[in-house]
Amino acid sequence: MTEPQTALTSEADDVERHPCPRCNASPGSPCRSRSGAVAGTYHTGCFTKVPRLARLLRVPTPADRGPGQPWRPGIPAPAPVDPDTPTADIRIGYARCPTLTQELQTQLDALVAQRIPRDKIFSEKISTRVRVRPQFEAALAAAREIKAHAPHCRGGLHRVRDEAPGARCRRADSPG
């Protein structure tokens, strides 16, 4: 059983993008209690629509939403993107070598061959035993920031699995 976790503002924003099936709160609003006040926690049917929160037992309403206070209209949900709007591929690359004697150049060339701009490629020489990889975390943060500012654009984080000549890029699913 997991302990209740404090919801971050970004989590609250993600939850509030959807209407609540229980209290009929409109998108852009926190869940409400029967009295009409802002609920202390989001209703389960509302936050389970956000994949990364679906397994939590409770998602508390952040203090800036005024839980327990009378409900006031909040920030409206972002307008849906027109399907005819042109989108762009936004790609970020990550290359890593486990030892200082290995070269990153083959991996970097493979990422550039996949049309990833050099300024969007993060690289480091760090052992697989090291769990904290600063450049990988920076690449993930950049991908999240781009996705937050351009949700209608396709994109992803790409990495190279091996250093052999002709190494192929693949989409990163997890650090490794």
Side-chain angles (χ1 to χ4, degrees):
M1 191 166 192
T2 61
E3 294 180 21
Q5 297 180 359
T6 304
L8 301 174
T9 304
S10 61
E11 290 178 347
D13 292 336
D14 288 345
V15 171
E16 293 172 8
R17 287 184 195 273
H18 306 283
C20 180
R22 181 171 168 192
C23 68
N24 296 322
S26 59
S29 301
C31 291
R32 294 189 279 283
S33 64
R34 287 187 180 139
S35 67
V38 176
T41 59
Y42 291 100
H43 296 127
T44 306
C46 192
F47 71 78
T48 55
K49 295 177 183 177
V50 181
R52 74 177 196 281
L53 303 177
R55 293 186 180 177
L56 297 178
L57 299 176
R58 296 173 41 129
V59 175
T61 305
D64 65 343
R65 305 299 204 267
Q69 302 298 316
W71 175 80
R72 291 185 303 273
I75 301 169
V81 177
D82 184 16
D84 297 331
T85 303
T87 61
D89 284 340
I90 300 172
R91 295 178 174 192
I92 296 175
Y94 175 72
R96 180 186 58 81
C97 284
T99 65
L100 295 175
T101 58
Q102 292 178 327
E103 290 297 323
L104 284 169
Q105 194 58 46
T106 306
Q107 294 181 36
L108 298 175
D109 292 342
L111 289 167
V112 169
Q114 293 289 321
R115 298 186 316 256
I116 299 172
R118 183 64 183 107
D119 63 328
K120 297 269 194 270
I121 297 176
F122 296 82
S123 62
E124 61 190 342
K125 290 187 177 187
I126 193 165
S127 172
T128 54
R129 293 181 183 190
V130 176
R131 292 288 177 207
V132 178
R133 299 179 186 155
Q135 290 297 312
F136 184 73
E137 295 299 324
L140 287 175
R144 287 183 190 116
E145 184 175 337
I146 289 170
K147 195 62 178 173
H149 288 88
H152 60 283
C153 292
R154 294 180 313 211
L157 176 64
H158 298 267
R159 67 179 174 173
V160 178
R161 288 296 293 181
D162 57 68
E163 194 184 329
R168 296 176 47 196
C169 294
R170 70 174 228 153
R171 194 176 177 115
D173 296 323
S174 63

